[in-house]
Amino acid sequence: MDPTQKFKIITVVGARPNFMKAAPIIAAIGDHNARLAVSPGPGGAGEFRFSLQNVLVHTGQHYDEVMSDRFFADLNIPKPDVHLGVGSGSHAAQTAEIMKRFEEVLLRERPDVLVVVGDVNSTLACALVTAKISFDDQGTRPLIAHVEAGLRSFDRGMPEEINRILTDHVADLLFVTEQSGLRNLCKEGIPDGKVHFVGNTMIDSLLAFKAKADSSDILDRLSLRNGNGGHKATDETARYALLTLHRPSNVDQRATFLNILEGLEELSNTYPVIFPAHPRTQKRLAEFGLERFFETGNTSHADGRIRLVEPLGYLDFLCLMGHAAVVVTDSGGIQEETTCLGIPCVTVRENTERPVTVRVGTNILAGTSKEGIRQATRQQLASKVSAAVPEAWDGKSAQRILDVICREIEKKRSLERS
Ligand code: UD1
């Protein structure tokens, strides 16, 4: 293949959990081009002697400084080439708006490959547009690569589950993070040849940025150094818990939200609980009159209230996770990050699409009952967890993904020529 040839990839990001999954892939594309520039002859850029242009598209599903912009700085992601600026809306309105705006971009850019990550509305919207696009009368369209394919909670009440299933079924290349994903895709009849077990790009980011995160000053900013947090741990840091909650099923009904907060009272009476609250959650707790459970000040832990803080950037959050006695969450990604960090995690959900975090990791599914949360939290605080890091969560997943993509580009081009 001609080493001066250039192929185009569109990588899509839209919402907070996309940024740390896409960042290593964008970096791997940059590394590929850098290797080719240094050694353009045979052997340059591994076996693939062509360059790659990445067009980064941000849908704007998340748009705040705290939900989006900060992550670009923290994760060294370049400024998006295209910003669709869709903002919030109902699922239908948001998905439809992304589709309309993304179709124009696709027709203009005519990439060889689309890369979508995770399970948010942006993931499905862009995959669906690409599955139906045609650049010519032969129906030429980009290959669709789905990163984090195959995860299933088996709960179709979750919008993310619908996004996962549909994206997987229109994708050409399915990149899987854990063994359960391989089984799920096989049961759904996805041909083996499309499926690639590569590990977890979110863990690539964690490993790449852990040292930098450790030098964050967030523990000082939240007065969690010894002597200020109220409950001393053995090292220089106070013993504290970290909480995140944002699933519609947990925070959109007053009774469920209240129940969870009551389940957390024992924990917050014992240790400081730091709660960087998602905008959805902040809106709900005000609307439901649940402010009595929270305080917004910076130092006291006298009355057992949960410390509400603004959503944090990637490095600050990673630092807080890494020093927490326990993390209580309903997020998907945090279950994986805590497994890798060896930090006990209590998941406030009835199910998880990431069973490896329970099987070999540090995660316990607590459900959403008061007693379930109390028991799981007690158990995790007492545990001396030692997590085994799941297979291939080794910091090299993005490179594996890029190797497969390059191989497929070569295949597709030689088929088109024949
Ligand atoms: C989305 C994803 C979810 C992911 C979560 C992480 C879907 C279906 N859901 O849920 O999988 O775990 O992001 O954060 O794609 N808002 C702001 N500022 C922002 C973004 C949102 O204030 O930058 C507000 C919106 O106005 C809305 C609420 O947050 O009221 C929810 O935002 P939305 O993007 O609809 O879904 P998330 O709950 O964030």
Side-chain angles (χ1 to χ4, degrees):
M1 196 167 286
D2 174 3
T4 60
Q5 219 176 346
K6 192 177 237 179
F7 294 94
K8 195 185 274 188
I9 297 177
I10 286 189
T11 305
V12 174
V13 291
R16 185 171 61 178
N18 290 160
F19 305 132
M20 54 296 265
K21 294 170 191 168
I25 299 170
I26 298 164
I29 294 172
D31 291 347
H32 169 97
N33 290 334
R35 284 198 303 274
L36 194 74
V38 173
S39 170
E47 58 188 295
F48 307 108
R49 294 173 52 238
F50 50 79
S51 63
L52 297 168
Q53 180 192 354
N54 185 46
V55 177
L56 180 60
V57 175
H58 190 334
T59 65
Q61 177 175 342
H62 285 176
Y63 43 83
D64 285 349
E65 158 70 22
V66 291
M67 295 296 284
S68 171
D69 301 358
R70 228 177 130 190
F71 288 81
F72 279 72
D74 279 1
L75 290 153
N76 296 335
I77 305 175
K79 212 170 152 297
D81 300 289
V82 181
H83 202 296
L84 302 181
V86 296
S88 300
S90 68
H91 285 284
Q94 190 175 60
T95 309
E97 205 51 51
I98 298 168
M99 288 180 73
K100 270 165 56 188
R101 297 185 195 190
F102 185 66
E103 185 178 45
E104 288 173 23
V105 177
L106 207 54
L107 288 171
R108 189 172 69 232
E109 298 289 342
R110 298 171 66 105
D112 298 282
V113 181
L114 168 80
V115 176
V116 289
V117 300
D119 57 14
V120 302
N121 288 339
S122 303
T123 312
L124 172 63
C126 296
L128 203 48
V129 171
T130 308
K132 294 184 177 185
I133 208 90
S134 182
F135 294 151
D136 54 31
D137 51 15
Q138 270 103 56
T140 305
R141 65 159 177 82
L143 286 168
I144 302 168
H146 183 207
V147 175
E148 202 186 78
L151 297 182
R152 297 289 182 268
S153 64
F154 304 101
D155 172 3
R156 292 203 180 191
M158 277 178 88
E160 293 82 0
E161 181 76 350
I162 305 297
N163 293 342
R164 289 181 199 117
I165 296 170
L166 297 180
T167 304
D168 283 344
H169 282 255
V170 295
D172 304 294
L173 301 172
L174 293 92
F175 294 112
V176 175
T177 54
E178 63 166 277
Q179 293 291 335
S180 73
L182 296 178
R183 289 193 293 278
N184 296 333
L185 294 173
C186 179
K187 278 191 208 137
E188 290 174 24
I190 307 276
D192 276 359
K194 291 183 171 185
V195 179
H196 304 270
F197 182 79
V198 292
N200 194 328
T201 61
M202 200 178 57
I203 303 303
D204 289 7
S205 280
L206 185 149
L207 296 174
F209 288 98
K210 194 171 170 305
K212 197 169 174 201
D214 276 341
S215 58
S216 150
D217 64 355
I218 187 69
L219 295 167
D220 299 303
R221 279 174 16 234
L222 295 177
S223 309
L224 290 169
R225 294 289 182 194
N226 246 355
N228 290 319
H231 293 269
K232 292 178 184 178
T234 49
D235 65 6
E236 58 158 355
T237 323
R239 199 158 155 83
Y240 63 90
L242 180 61
L243 171 68
T244 82
L245 290 172
H246 79 279
R247 295 253 153 245
S249 56
N250 281 345
V251 302
D252 281 3
Q253 304 278 332
R254 187 178 191 279
T256 315
F257 198 174
L258 177 63
N259 206 54
I260 293 172
L261 293 173
E262 287 175 352
L264 288 167
E265 269 175 329
E266 184 179 294
L267 176 67
S268 63
N269 279 321
T270 319
Y271 296 116
V273 177
I274 312 298
F275 183 25
H278 184 284
R280 163 193 290 286
T281 314
Q282 293 193 27
K283 269 188 217 162
R284 292 296 182 239
L285 69 89
E287 201 178 305
F288 296 154
L290 296 172
E291 291 95 336
R292 71 186 161 88
F293 287 93
F294 303 96
E295 57 145 326
T296 50
N298 199 29
T299 49
S300 81
H301 172 240
D303 57 2
R305 282 187 294 164
I306 294 171
R307 277 176 62 184
L308 192 65
V309 299
E310 285 301 306
L312 295 170
Y314 182 72
L315 298 173
D316 289 343
F317 192 79
L318 201 54
C319 179
L320 265 191
M321 249 192 314
H323 290 91
V326 66
V327 175
V328 181
T329 190
D330 61 4
S331 145
I334 292 171
Q335 298 171 53
E336 296 181 337
E337 288 169 330
T338 46
T339 278
C340 198
L341 291 166
I343 301 293
C345 178
V346 171
T347 296
V348 184
R349 284 173 50 187
E350 303 296 338
N351 53 51
T352 178
E353 61 287 336
R354 292 160 160 92
V356 75
T357 61
V358 176
R359 196 170 56 77
V360 307
T362 52
N363 189 21
I364 289 189
L365 275 185
T368 52
S369 74
K370 272 180 240 177
E371 202 37 45
I373 294 169
R374 270 185 217 125
Q375 268 185 21
T377 312
R378 256 181 240 146
Q379 187 182 330
Q380 288 294 59
L381 280 169
S383 85
K384 299 262 175 281
V385 284
S386 62
V389 174
E391 190 185 348
W393 291 17
D394 58 359
K396 297 177 185 149
S397 301
Q399 190 52 56
R400 291 188 195 104
I401 288 171
L402 201 63
D403 286 347
V404 173
I405 288 176
C406 286
R407 258 198 323 270
E408 292 297 324
I409 287 176
E410 276 187 339
K411 251 197 249 166
K412 186 168 172 252
R413 282 293 157 126
S414 50
L415 276 178
E416 279 166 12
R417 275 198 303 269
S418 61

